[in-house]
Amino acid sequence: MGEARRRDGAEVVVLGGGVIGLTAAVVLAERGMDVRIWSPDPAGATTSAVAGGLIWPYRIEPEKQALDWAVRSFRHFSWLAEQPEATGVRLVRGRMPGSAPPPEWSALTGSPPRAPLVDMPSYLRYLADRFEAAGGRWEQRAAGSLTEAAAAAPAVVNCTGLGARELVPDPTVRPVRGQLVVVENPGVEEWYVAASDSAAETTYILPQPYGLVLGGTAEDGAEEREPDRATAAAILRRCAAVHPGLATATVLQHRVGLRPFRPSVRLEAERVPDGRGGTSLCVHNYGHGGAGVTVSWGCAVDAARLVGPP
């Protein structure tokens, strides 16, 4: 089946192996296209692997379009949650005090809310396996330019996240730094989130199979990738105010990720030079801020629509 796709399907290079790129690649490959991912890092080493994993439209613009992508993605994640051992996705109850989600979101999550919670390392492995099963191929390489990618295929899907600053180049893309702490779970079963899109500090508690994820920060423009001790201590204090037992929980890991924020997600097509006097189609799909996982399936379907039929 895979070889038939390579002979008969359209060829696409997807730039970026995080959750946005992998999901787009899965959708395209499962539609019968010959798809290659170019990524300098394996999926487990991307920013996506650091994400807390709660499906929730956070720090992403434009709000109305993001909500549509999130609602469509929510339905797919709910389906994936029927096989949590295989996918890493579970439906988990939680609470979000002080917030009033849009009615479209409340209709999905219910009250009290029950939302998909994604174990990102497991989920990224699931996506990679699903991509390979559909005949897709992974190449560990970076694109030096869009022209280089366009020379390799008639269609390119640019899912490079923060890397789009230099690759496109797009100076409107900027990092929003997130730091979190993973601790041994003393028995917390529900997630908790207290955050706003404008706050530099947030409080969230997410029970994952590998431990309890505590967060967090949203430092606009910060690019430091090393964990900060004082920030970690502040995260622990905020979370212990919600669950006092966390004050003495054993710390397992510190994580830092840079969310690729843009004033507006870029999901559109253009023609780019292929270096041989012609052009290739380039579909941009980047700038998802703090909601890349949350909107990934909705964006992937729209990106595939722009690529067109095989």
Side-chain angles (χ1 to χ4, degrees):
M1 178 66 75
E3 289 303 318
R5 286 194 184 98
R6 292 188 185 102
R7 288 194 296 270
D8 301 332
E11 188 175 62
V12 185
V13 167
V14 175
L15 304 180
V19 71
I20 292 294
L22 255 177
T23 310
V26 166
V27 170
L28 290 165
E30 290 182 349
R31 291 187 176 192
M33 297 187 180
D34 174 11
V35 185
R36 287 176 288 160
I37 290 176
W38 288 10
S39 176
D41 302 305
T46 63
T47 298
S48 299
V50 181
L54 181 66
I55 301 305
W56 167 46
Y58 169 69
R59 221 172 180 105
I60 181 172
E61 295 291 344
E63 185 176 329
K64 184 176 180 180
Q65 178 63 72
L67 181 61
D68 174 68
W69 288 323
V71 167
R72 288 155 58 195
S73 299
F74 187 105
R75 298 188 179 111
H76 197 85
F77 280 114
S78 295
W79 172 69
L80 293 175
E82 295 178 7
Q83 294 183 293
E85 294 81 8
T87 65
V89 182
R90 299 168 293 136
L91 281 176
V92 180
R93 195 175 301 279
R95 55 195 177 106
M96 196 176 294
S99 66
E104 300 94 330
W105 195 249
S106 298
L108 292 172
T109 61
S111 181
R114 193 163 177 255
L117 184 58
V118 184
D119 170 0
M120 289 307 298
S122 296
Y123 180 60
L124 291 170
R125 288 192 295 270
Y126 161 78
L127 285 180
D129 290 345
R130 186 166 159 181
F131 174 60
E132 184 178 348
R137 292 164 289 161
W138 185 293
E139 297 182 18
Q140 193 161 344
R141 60 182 289 185
S145 66
L146 291 177
T147 296
E148 178 187 345
V156 175
V157 182
N158 173 24
C159 304
T160 52
L162 198 58
R165 285 190 300 180
E166 289 76 32
L167 182 68
V168 175
D170 186 345
T172 69
V173 181
R174 66 180 190 268
V176 176
R177 182 181 184 274
Q179 181 169 329
L180 54 82
V181 183
V182 182
V183 302
E184 286 187 354
N185 191 341
V188 177
E189 296 181 352
E190 297 188 350
W191 53 263
Y192 173 95
V193 172
S196 71
D197 281 353
S198 59
E201 294 183 346
T202 61
T203 302
Y204 59 82
I205 301 169
L206 309 175
Q208 293 285 13
Y210 54 82
L212 196 62
V213 178
L214 310 180
T217 64
E219 303 166 76
D220 202 335
E223 305 210 27
E224 177 56 55
R225 294 178 183 269
E226 289 299 314
D228 178 76
R229 285 179 178 269
T231 299
I235 289 171
L236 286 165
R237 284 195 300 271
R238 292 198 300 274
C239 292
V242 180
H243 288 288
L246 297 178
T248 56
T250 300
V251 174
L252 302 177
Q253 191 180 26
H254 297 273
R255 295 181 178 178
V256 173
L258 304 181
R259 305 175 182 94
F261 182 82
R262 192 174 186 270
S264 177
V265 172
R266 188 177 187 192
L267 183 44
E268 61 183 6
E270 67 172 344
R271 306 295 302 188
V272 297
D274 64 5
R276 298 190 297 266
T279 62
S280 288
L281 176 71
C282 180
V283 175
H284 296 287
N285 183 15
Y286 65 86
H288 302 84
V293 185
T294 299
V295 301
S296 55
W297 287 101
C299 288
V301 170
D302 285 359
R305 188 177 297 118
L306 291 172
V307 170

